[in-house]
Amino acid sequence: MGRTEANAAEGRDRSLAERLLLDANRMTVTAMLSSATLVLLTALGTLDLPFRSILTTGDTVETLFQTLIGVLITGMTLVVSINQLVLSQEFGSLGRQSERMEKSMAFRKESEREFRWTGPPEPDRFLETLVDTSLERTRALREAVEDNSDRTLRRRVDQFVDRIESSAERVSEELANAQFGEFTVTRAALGYNYSWKIYVLRRVYWEHRENLSEDERDAFDDVVDVLELFGPAEEFFKAHYLQWELVNLSRRILFTGIPALVVTVVAALYLKPGVVSGSLLGIPLSVWLINLGITLALVPFFVFTAYVLRTASIAKQTGAIGPFVLHESERAPLIDWEE
C-alpha cells in the first residue's frame, strides 16, 4: 500500500518551501527578504569593485533615490486600485444583493438537511461540523455493508473509512484554535480533498453496484451528498480569505510605504558624499546608510512579494470546483485497489 493521505500531508508540512510560502507570517517573510537584501548589498560593499565607488558618487545616489521615490508613489497609488477591486465586490443593486442572500440561504438549508440541525454560524465551526458529518456518514456506510457477501467491497469501504478518520482528525487539530480570516481555516478546507474522495467513493460504488442493496446504495449517496457541500464551502472560504488578504496587503503597503517614502526623500536630499565620514566593519558609513535606505525603500515591494507568494501558491494548489482533480499531488492512495 502507498503512502496514506495523512502521511502525505505530514510530508508536505515538513517542507521548508511550503512553510515559507503558506504557513509563515507574511511580515516574517518580509523581514527575511529585507534582511537578505541588506546583507547582499553590504557584502557587495566589502568587495573591491566599482560598486562601492558608484554608491559614493553624489549623482548616482541622488538619481537612485529619486527613481525609488517615483516607484514608491506609483506603488502606493496602485494600493488604491487594489482596495477598489476589493470594494467593488461589495457594491451592487438591491436585486444582486437579494440574489446573493437567496443563494446563501439555499446553501444553508441544504447543509441543514445534511446536518439534521441548523449547524454553527461560524465558518470554522461549520467546516468542522461538515467534516464530522462526513465521518459519521462513512461509518454508517461501513455498518450498511458489513453483512454484504462481497469481501472486496467491505475491505475497500473499511480502508475508505480509515482515511476519512485520518483526514477528519487532522482537520480538527488544525481548527482547534483557528479563527476565520486566518490561513489555518483555508488550509484545512483545501486539505480535505473532497473531489478525490468523491471519485474514490463513486468508483467503489460502480465496481460493486451489482452486489449492493437499495439501503447500501442510499448509504453511498448519503456520503457523496455531504462531500458535495465541500465544493461551495471551500470556494467561499478561499474567496473571502483572499479578499481579506488583499485588504491586509493594501494596509501594510501603506503602513510601510509612508516611512519608506520619507526615508527615500531624506536620502535623496541630504545623503551626499562627504556628509558622513568614518567606517564600520571596514565599510564606509555612507555605504551602510545607502544600503539601509535602499532596503527600507524596497520594504513595500517585499510586503507585496510575500503576499503574492502565498496567494499564488493557493491558486496553484486548488483546482476547479467539482469532481475533477487537476493536481497529481491531490491523488492520495485512499484505498488499495489490488485484489
Side-chain angles (χ1 to χ4, degrees):
M1 184 182 300
R3 287 192 315 167
T4 66
E5 186 178 12
N7 288 337
E10 290 175 359
R12 290 195 299 269
D13 289 339
R14 290 192 294 268
S15 170
L16 177 61
E18 183 148 348
R19 288 200 297 268
L20 180 64
L21 292 174
L22 296 175
D23 297 328
N25 183 280
R26 294 302 90 186
M27 299 313 294
T28 301
V29 176
T30 301
M32 292 172 60
L33 293 173
S34 302
S35 301
T37 300
L38 181 59
V39 169
L40 177 61
L41 291 175
T42 304
L44 291 174
T46 63
L47 301 177
D48 187 16
L49 295 174
F51 180 79
R52 180 185 296 187
S53 61
I54 291 174
L55 283 182
T56 55
T57 302
D59 292 340
T60 301
V61 173
E62 184 177 352
T63 301
L64 172 63
F65 283 104
Q66 286 177 350
T67 303
L68 289 174
I69 291 173
V71 171
L72 283 171
I73 294 175
T74 303
M76 294 174 68
T77 304
L78 182 62
V79 170
V80 178
S81 300
I82 295 176
N83 275 317
Q84 288 177 338
L85 174 64
V86 175
L87 292 176
S88 66
Q89 305 301 316
E90 304 300 325
F91 298 148
S93 63
L94 180 60
R96 180 184 175 186
Q97 300 299 338
S98 178
E99 182 181 358
R100 292 175 62 184
M101 184 64 180
E102 289 177 1
K103 291 181 179 179
S104 297
M105 289 305 299
F107 178 77
R108 167 62 71 174
K109 292 176 181 178
E110 184 179 357
S111 64
E112 288 175 357
R113 286 194 295 269
E114 299 299 330
F115 295 160
R116 297 186 177 90
W117 68 293
T118 57
E122 303 87 359
D124 50 317
R125 302 282 76 83
F126 179 87
L127 177 61
E128 191 172 8
T129 302
L130 197 56
V131 171
D132 292 340
T133 303
S134 66
L135 178 58
E136 293 173 2
R137 295 286 179 86
T138 53
R139 288 172 174 170
L141 172 63
R142 177 164 58 186
E143 294 177 0
V145 302
E146 63 182 359
D147 295 328
N148 194 292
S149 59
D150 190 335
R151 294 179 56 187
T152 303
L153 169 65
R154 297 198 307 270
R155 175 175 57 81
R156 289 176 172 177
V157 170
D158 284 339
Q159 291 178 351
F160 185 80
V161 174
D162 290 341
R163 303 303 183 268
I164 288 285
E165 289 175 341
S166 299
S167 296
E169 181 180 358
R170 175 171 49 81
V171 171
S172 297
E173 291 176 356
E174 292 180 352
L175 294 175
N177 298 312
Q179 294 182 353
F180 186 66
E182 298 177 351
F183 177 66
T184 305
V185 178
T186 304
R187 184 183 184 89
L190 300 178
Y192 200 64
N193 200 3
Y194 74 94
S195 296
W196 187 242
K197 290 179 171 65
I198 291 176
Y199 164 75
V200 170
L201 200 63
R202 295 302 297 169
R203 178 175 172 180
V204 172
Y205 171 85
W206 281 104
E207 290 189 4
H208 301 274
R209 66 186 182 279
E210 295 179 355
N211 299 325
L212 296 175
S213 66
E214 190 65 29
D215 290 339
E216 291 169 343
R217 293 181 181 183
D218 290 340
F220 271 92
D221 290 339
D222 288 341
V223 180
V224 172
D225 287 343
V226 71
L227 288 175
E228 287 177 350
L229 293 178
F230 268 92
E234 176 185 298
E235 290 301 309
F236 172 83
F237 295 142
K238 182 176 70 172
H240 280 265
Y241 172 76
L242 293 177
Q243 188 179 52
W244 285 30
E245 284 287 84
L246 286 175
V247 172
N248 290 332
L249 168 62
S250 59
R251 291 171 60 185
R252 287 177 173 173
I253 286 181
L254 288 175
F255 290 154
T256 58
I258 293 176
L261 184 60
V262 171
V263 169
T264 306
V265 170
V266 170
L269 292 176
Y270 302 109
L271 191 56
K272 310 292 183 182
V275 172
V276 179
S277 60
S279 63
L280 177 64
L281 301 178
I283 304 174
L285 288 178
S286 59
V287 173
W288 281 104
L289 292 176
I290 292 170
N291 292 345
L292 184 60
I294 294 173
T295 302
L296 292 176
L298 293 176
V299 166
F301 173 74
F302 294 146
V303 172
F304 178 79
T305 302
Y307 275 88
V308 169
L309 285 174
R310 174 181 279 176
T311 55
S313 298
I314 292 174
K316 183 178 180 180
Q317 289 190 7
T318 57
I321 184 173
F324 299 103
V325 181
L326 305 183
H327 302 285
E328 183 68 29
S329 60
E330 296 177 358
R331 301 171 190 173
L334 298 182
I335 66 175
D336 182 7
W337 296 104
E338 298 295 329
E339 297 295 340

